[in-house]
Each structure stands twice: as structure tokens, then as C-alpha cells.
Amino acid sequence: KIQLAATMRPGCVLVAAVVCAFAVLGAAGQEWATEVAALCDVATQNAPAAWARAAQSPCDGDWLMPCEHALAGVACDRFGRVSQLLLSRQSMTGSITESITNMSHLCWLDFGYNKLKGSIPENFGELKYLYELSLPGNQFTGTIPSSFGKIKDLTHLYLQGNQFFGPIDPLMSLSTIVSMDLSNNSFTGPLPTEIGQMSNLEYIDISQNSFAGELPTTLENCAKLEELCVPPENCNG
């Protein structure tokens, strides 16, 4: 192998480099196209108000990259992949498209205070780099997907003011959570003892739900906890 490298002509090295570059760009191009298609799904299924006024649409067919043209609430990382999708108060309707999980570099998703319905897609855990998820003030229903446990970097979670129901057990493996608001939903069951494993938790609001039983003593393990809001709708520092 050393001898082969030593005798390789410069022209061959250049060709190999070009071929490699095209392979990398080809893979990146496929990922960009997938994310542009996901943005098109958001445009057609949710109709953000600001996008209706935009000069270009991701559905136009001439977008090669997600951030090729300016689009309100969309930001990309250094790889040209969507990292932020901030569309609060955009009068959006419909439900969250499953293709949103194709934006696999997404770090911050904010769909707060719209008119969105339906449930969170089951494959939502594929957004493994997500650190903030904000869905308050909508009409979401359903349970928390079990795949949430895969989002290991999630630090801020805001689901208040919806119609979610069922247990919150899928959230208990999220040890990175700092702030979590689940208030004004229909969550049920006892508060899991595993909440004591959320060692970074500083704020939690679970008021205006249908939880039963006593607060678990494991909450004492949350050494950084500064504010706890529980029934009967009060907050304790």
C-alpha cells in the first residue's frame, strides 16, 4: 500500500480527490433535497402566515438547499442543514408532518401558539440533536411517543396548553432536561419515581392535569430544582 501511494501520479491523485468530492456533494445534495421537501410539507400542510408572503417557496422546485433563499423562522448550520424552525404565532393549521424528522440536524423547534392539531409523530425521537421543543398553546392530542427517550440533548420542553393525555413515563429518561412545562393538559397516572434521575431539572410545571397520588420522594434527588408547580395549581420555590 505504501508503494502504491508513492508511485501514484499527481493526475491520479487529483482525479481521486474530485471523485471523492463529488461523492460527498452527492450525499449532501440528497440530504438537502430531503429537507427542502420537508419544508415544502410544512408550507402546504401548515401554511405559516409569513411564508405566504415570501417571494420564494420551498415547493417551487428550484431550491437546491434549505437555506438557499430567505424563509422566516428557518436557519441552517454550517453544513447547510436546517437547525432551527421557529414558527410560533403563525396561524398554522393541520398537524405536524412526519417528514419533519428528516430535518435530522434540527436543534430548536418552536410551533407555539398556532392552531395545530393531531399527535406528535411516533418517530419524533429521530430528532436526536433537538435541545428545545416548544409546542404550547395548540390543540395537540395523543400521548408522548416512546421514541422521546432517544432525544438525549433535550433541555427545554414546553407542551403546556394542549390536550395531551396518558402517562409521562417516556420523558423520564431525559436526564438533560432543565425546564419542562406540561401544565394545562390531561396527563394521568402517578408522577414517575424516575423523575429523580433528572439531575439537571430546575423548573417543572405539571399543574392543571389529572395526575394521581403523592409526589415521589425521589424529587429530593433533583438538587438543582428551583421551582415546582403542582396541583392545586401553585408553585413552590
Side-chain angles (χ1 to χ4, degrees), residues 121-175:
E122 283 296 325
N123 62 343
F124 209 77
E126 299 303 317
L127 296 174
K128 59 182 179 180
Y129 297 118
L130 200 64
Y131 67 76
E132 181 164 336
L133 174 61
S134 185
L135 303 177
N138 284 283
Q139 301 168 37
F140 289 117
T141 60
T143 58
I144 303 296
S146 58
S147 64
F148 253 71
K150 297 180 181 179
I151 313 176
K152 298 301 183 182
D153 293 329
L154 194 63
T155 58
H156 295 79
L157 177 63
Y158 305 112
L159 303 180
Q160 69 270 24
N162 284 286
Q163 300 167 28
F164 291 115
F165 57 83
I168 61 171
D169 297 66
L171 303 177
M172 293 301 101
S173 61
L174 302 176
S175 59

Side-chain angles (χ1 to χ4, degrees), residues 7 14 17 28 49 52 59 61-62 67 70 74-75 89 111 123 127 160 180 184 192 196-197 199 209 231 233 236:
T7 58
L14 178 59
C59 302
D62 60 347
C67 289
V74 179
R89 305 180 189 278
F111 280 179
N123 62 343
L127 296 174
Q160 69 270 24
M180 181 165 63
N184 196 16
Q197 299 173 11
S199 56
N209 279 285
E233 286 64 72
N236 301 305

Side-chain angles (χ1 to χ4, degrees), residues 103-118:
M103 302 182 196
S104 57
H105 283 213
L106 200 60
C107 297
W108 187 0
L109 176 61
D110 186 354
F111 280 179
Y113 305 103
N114 285 289
K115 302 174 183 178
L116 296 169
K117 300 180 179 180

